[in-house]
């Protein structure tokens, strides 16, 4: 194994056997779990200062207990917040949002039922403070107009989410008042 001067980010994404309807094997990751693991790494690795962790591997484990829809964007946002809370050096928090096209309507943060009925969708993860998109994942059929509208909707939601995440993170690290 080669020794690297830069750290590596490793993600394992799994659904609990009871997280959604239908049966799941538990002996190994399914193909969708492997794909979601890869997309999660791609979304998060550009935000982590991997040069601060030479010869190291940062492992992230995601276990979905209940699949209510938009699990990848929720996982990206949650993992980014967890990394920041663990004091891992980062360039910025990663926020993620997804949309689904249902009929002629674009729906932000689709539920599982809406995801099953969608004609297409888009997931965007970004670092709003540095104005950088870390992942753009489009699936199904979307017109150029739909993609543009979806991207604007996701980026706007990501910026709002980033503001809230920063506030919550600052509050969690604020010193507690001294007791009298």
């Amino acid at each position: 194994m080669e020794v690297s001067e830069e750290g590596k980010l490793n993600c394992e994404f799994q659904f609990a056997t009871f997280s959604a309807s239908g049966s799941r094997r538990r002996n190994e990751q399914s193909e969708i779990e492997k794909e979601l693991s890869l997309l999660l790494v791609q979304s998060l690795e550009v935000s982590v200062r991997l040069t601060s962790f030479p010869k190291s591997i940062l492992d992230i484990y995601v276990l979905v207990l209940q699949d209510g829809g938009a699990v990848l964007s929720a996982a990206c946002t949650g993992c980014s917040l967890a990394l920041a809370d663990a004091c891992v050096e980062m360039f910025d928090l990663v926020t993620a949002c997804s949309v689904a096209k249902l009929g002629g309507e674009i729906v932000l943060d689709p539920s599982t039922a809406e995801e099953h009925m969608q004609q297409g969708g888009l997931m965007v993860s970004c670092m709003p403070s540095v104005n950088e998109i870390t992942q753009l994942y489009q699936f199904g059929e979307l017109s150029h107009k739909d993609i543009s509208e979806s991207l604007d909707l996701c980026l706007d939601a990501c910026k709002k989410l980033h503001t809230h995440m920063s506030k919550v993170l600052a509050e969690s690290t604020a010193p507690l008042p001294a007791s009298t």
Side-chain angles (χ1 to χ4, degrees):
M1 184 173 179
E2 290 184 36
V3 176
S4 175
E5 293 305 314
E6 188 173 283
K8 184 178 184 251
L9 189 65
N10 183 40
C11 296
E12 186 176 308
F13 195 106
Q14 287 191 327
F15 290 95
T17 54
F18 53 83
S19 66
S21 60
S23 61
R24 296 187 188 276
R25 288 190 323 255
R26 283 293 90 205
N27 298 342
E28 58 190 49
Q29 268 188 313
S30 68
E31 290 303 313
I32 189 72
E33 289 170 332
K34 288 177 184 177
E35 182 180 356
L36 291 171
S37 296
L38 179 63
L39 291 169
L40 190 57
V41 168
Q42 292 171 347
S43 294
L44 294 172
E45 72 182 348
V46 294
S47 70
V48 178
R49 293 180 188 256
L50 292 173
T51 54
S52 299
F53 303 97
K55 305 174 189 172
S56 301
I57 296 175
L58 297 174
D59 286 326
I60 296 174
Y61 297 96
V62 174
L63 177 62
V64 177
L65 298 177
Q66 182 175 354
D67 183 357
V71 291
L72 180 59
S73 55
C76 286
T77 302
C79 288
S80 177
L81 202 52
L83 287 168
D85 190 53
C87 299
V88 172
E89 288 185 46
M90 300 172 70
F91 296 105
D92 191 13
L93 291 170
V94 174
T95 58
C97 289
S98 59
V99 296
K101 181 174 181 182
L102 299 168
E105 215 176 305
I106 303 289
V107 178
L108 183 65
D109 191 27
S111 68
T112 305
E114 291 169 331
E115 285 180 336
H116 289 299
M117 298 184 307
Q118 68 187 355
Q119 291 88 28
L122 186 75
M123 194 282 296
V124 177
S125 61
C126 65
M127 297 186 294
S129 293
V130 294
N131 204 26
E132 185 175 325
I133 293 175
T134 63
Q135 179 76 265
L136 180 67
Y137 180 65
Q138 188 253 319
F139 47 91
E141 293 185 27
L142 294 173
S143 67
H144 292 291
K145 179 182 172 272
D146 291 337
I147 291 172
S148 178
E149 183 182 336
S150 298
L151 186 58
D152 290 342
L153 188 61
C154 283
L155 290 174
D156 183 51
C158 283
K159 287 177 186 172
K160 290 176 184 174
L161 187 56
H162 184 270
T163 302
H164 184 68
M165 287 171 60
S166 298
K167 181 182 172 189
V168 168
L169 195 59
E171 288 172 0
S172 74
T173 58
L176 295 172
S179 60
T180 55

